[in-house]
Amino acid sequence: MRQAEAKYRAQRCMPFGSCKESAWEKEQRGEGGLEEEDYLFRQPGGDSRVPGTFTFRFKKILQEGDLPDNLNVHSLRHTNASMLIAQGVDVRTVAGLLGHAQPSATLDIYSHTFDKNKKLAQQKLAEAMGL
């Protein structure tokens, strides 16, 4: 888990999934490991990446994957949220992961992703009614 300061100084926890134990987790236990200049993305030698280099590499990945070149790293945030909603994760959980103080903000931004869920709900209702 990583605790991050969100907008408006709110705190949120971000699970890292199945990756190795993070420096943040070691820091939380008092074992050190996290330093002010720690970055998520590093060069192979351990130095921090220059933002322009990261963007260049991201665009290269898009080209190699035959993906639209108008995507940016922030697009991954929207993809993450949309996929979670499409898989039935509740809006309050998604809002918390995104750092939205209110689930209504998530609903306003991602309401288009619920279209699939609406169709599924209609099918389930029809099945329940024997139609």
Side-chain angles (χ1 to χ4, degrees), residues 40 48 69 74 97:
L40 180 60
S48 62
D69 63 354
H74 194 75
L97 290 170

Side-chain angles (χ1 to χ4, degrees), residues 8-121:
Y8 312 111
R9 301 194 186 276
Q11 295 288 317
R12 68 177 183 232
C13 289
M14 302 289 295
F16 282 118
S18 60
C19 62
K20 292 183 179 179
E21 181 179 43
S22 69
W24 177 266
E25 290 165 324
K26 290 179 183 177
E27 181 76 20
Q28 294 299 90
R29 289 196 312 268
E31 297 174 8
L34 188 64
E35 298 181 19
E36 185 65 31
E37 46 289 326
D38 279 345
Y39 294 92
L40 180 60
F41 302 106
R42 293 196 165 273
Q43 295 181 34
D47 293 334
S48 62
R49 289 200 184 272
V50 176
T53 303
F54 181 82
T55 301
F56 173 79
R57 287 177 141 317
F58 184 74
K59 294 296 182 184
K60 189 174 178 183
I61 291 168
L62 293 176
Q63 284 178 334
E64 290 171 0
D66 199 28
L67 296 167
D69 63 354
N70 64 341
L71 297 177
N72 57 39
V73 177
H74 194 75
S75 302
L76 298 176
R77 172 184 170 90
H78 293 294
T79 301
N80 174 51
S82 297
M83 290 179 77
L84 289 172
I85 292 168
Q87 292 300 312
V89 176
D90 65 280
V91 177
R92 183 170 294 282
T93 300
V94 175
L97 290 170
L98 294 173
H100 294 161
Q102 299 296 324
S104 59
T106 308
L107 287 168
D108 289 343
I109 297 167
Y110 297 101
S111 61
H112 65 280
T113 62
F114 289 96
D115 290 341
K116 177 182 171 186
N117 291 348
K118 288 177 190 174
K119 290 175 186 172
L120 182 61

